């Protein structure tokens, strides 16, 4: 894992000084994964590439230094936690609807001395009621179709901020289908950035959606409604 991180971190704009913390996080993840379903990726090399370097590559699309960032549906902490470990200046909130995962994240943050990271158990569409347009950025990987995900994430983002949706490169149709939703929620697709994950043949994509105007108060709707009738 160490050699992969040493070679890969400069390629994703991160300082190799964060390697011990990333390794510690990976150890805690793999240890806990033996008794709890956190990740299907269990080889340390694959954790280094497909979890850690993939998460960190988002920085190439947008530099979030000094910004507040919420990771919606963070699961075992991806992409938010690696981003915080490599870029301590971000103000990070990790949000997930599964409490066991949030408890794991609290334990990791405590062990890694990340007292400033907020680990929140909740559903994004409900969390928005008290945290509307409070974040400079929202990021999300592997949570929902972009039409649904936009309604979960864009209400949380300040006007002028960004929503970063991490997808595979075959998401053209999904992106086209989400254009109306993104517009209705006050956003506009600014850029699509494809990036290779170092030490792999995998290319992933981050869709950069800029928030241009406030999200109308009627969004987000209840999840059953979002799912039944995506925008
Ligand atoms: N982002 C992580 C990653 O890429 O490894 C986890 C992906 S996992 C497939 C999806 C996560 O989203 C789950 O942990 C689930 O509990 C969470 N989730 C799904 N819908 C959510 C919602 N409406 N609000 C908050 N979390 C949600």
């Amino acid at each position: 894992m160490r050699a992969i991180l040493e070679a890969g971190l400069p390629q994703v704009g991160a300082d190799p000084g964060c390697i011990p913390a990333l390794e510690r996080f990976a150890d805690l993840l793999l240890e806990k994964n033996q008794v709890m379903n956190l990740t299907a990726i269990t080889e340390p090399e694959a954790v280094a590439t497909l979890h850690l370097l993939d998460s960190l590559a988002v920085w190439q699309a947008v530099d979030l230094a000094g910004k507040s960032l919420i990771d919606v549906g963070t699961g075992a902490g991806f992409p938010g936690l690696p981003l915080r470990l490599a870029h301590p200046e971000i103000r990070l909130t990790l949000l997930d609807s599964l409490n066991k995962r949030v408890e794991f994240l609290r334990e990791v943050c405590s062990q890694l001395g990340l007292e400033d990271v907020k680990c929140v158990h909740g559903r994004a569409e409900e969390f928005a009621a008290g945290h509307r347009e409070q974040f400079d950025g929202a990021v999300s990987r592997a949570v929902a179709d972009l039409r649904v995900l936009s309604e979960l994430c864009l209400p949380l983002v300040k006007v002028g901020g960004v929503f970063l949706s991490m997808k595979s490169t075959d998401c053209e149709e999904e992106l086209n289908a989400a254009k109306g939703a993104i517009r209705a929620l006050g956003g506009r697709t600014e850029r699509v950035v494809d990036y290779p994950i170092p030490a792999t043949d995998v290319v992933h994509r981050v869709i950069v959606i800029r928030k241009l105007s406030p999200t109308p108060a009627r969004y987000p709707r209840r999840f059953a409604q979002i799912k039944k009738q995506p925008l």
Side-chain angles (χ1 to χ4, degrees), residues 22-219:
L22 291 174
E23 285 178 327
R24 181 84 187 106
F25 171 39
D27 287 347
L28 292 168
L29 172 73
L30 293 177
E31 192 184 308
K32 193 68 171 181
N33 202 44
Q34 293 181 5
V35 293
M36 196 182 141
N37 179 18
L38 287 171
T39 176
I41 296 169
T42 53
E43 289 299 318
E45 290 72 21
V47 171
T49 52
L50 301 178
H51 276 328
L52 300 176
L53 292 173
D54 186 36
S55 296
L56 292 170
V58 167
W59 204 260
Q60 299 169 100
V62 178
D63 183 334
L64 294 161
K67 307 281 189 195
S68 56
L69 177 70
I70 182 164
D71 181 0
V72 173
T74 186
F78 302 107
L81 214 37
L83 283 168
R84 168 62 183 76
L85 291 172
H87 305 285
E89 63 281 13
I90 57 173
R91 288 172 282 131
L92 179 65
T93 299
L94 299 170
L95 176 72
D96 202 278
S97 54
L98 209 59
N99 195 35
K100 278 190 171 174
R101 293 189 177 148
V102 177
E103 279 171 5
F104 163 72
L105 294 170
R106 288 198 181 111
E107 179 59 29
V108 171
C109 287
S110 148
Q111 298 234 8
L112 294 176
L114 306 174
E115 282 83 17
D116 60 304
V117 175
K118 296 191 180 80
C119 301
V120 182
H121 171 225
R123 297 197 60 89
E125 66 278 14
E126 292 166 8
F127 185 72
H131 301 84
R132 203 174 181 81
E133 302 186 338
Q134 288 195 359
F135 296 89
D136 297 307
V139 66
S140 193
R141 185 182 84 160
V143 173
D145 177 272
L146 191 55
R147 281 200 292 171
V148 170
L149 194 60
S150 296
E151 190 165 347
L152 300 182
C153 293
L154 273 169
L156 297 168
V157 177
K158 292 177 189 173
V159 173
V162 280
F163 161 38
L164 305 169
S165 176
M166 297 172 72
K167 293 283 175 188
S168 58
T169 47
D170 62 1
C171 70
E172 219 58 61
E173 219 172 284
E174 183 181 342
L175 179 57
N176 275 333
K179 278 199 175 126
I182 293 167
R183 203 177 314 114
L185 293 157
R188 192 186 65 202
T189 304
E190 188 174 88
R191 266 173 313 129
V192 171
V193 181
D194 289 349
Y195 57 88
I197 301 178
T200 71
D201 299 332
V202 182
V203 176
H204 275 176
R205 171 170 289 184
V206 57
I207 301 168
V208 181
I209 297 165
R210 184 71 56 186
K211 177 102 168 233
L212 296 179
S213 55
T215 299
R218 60 184 176 280
Y219 305 124

Side-chain angles (χ1 to χ4, degrees), residues 1-20 22-23 45 48-49 52-53 56 198-199:
M1 173 174 291
R2 178 158 287 233
I4 290 175
L5 291 176
E6 275 172 355
L9 287 179
Q11 295 176 49
V12 294
D15 187 320
C18 67
I19 288 178
L22 291 174
E23 285 178 327
E45 290 72 21
T49 52
L52 300 176
L53 292 173
L56 292 170

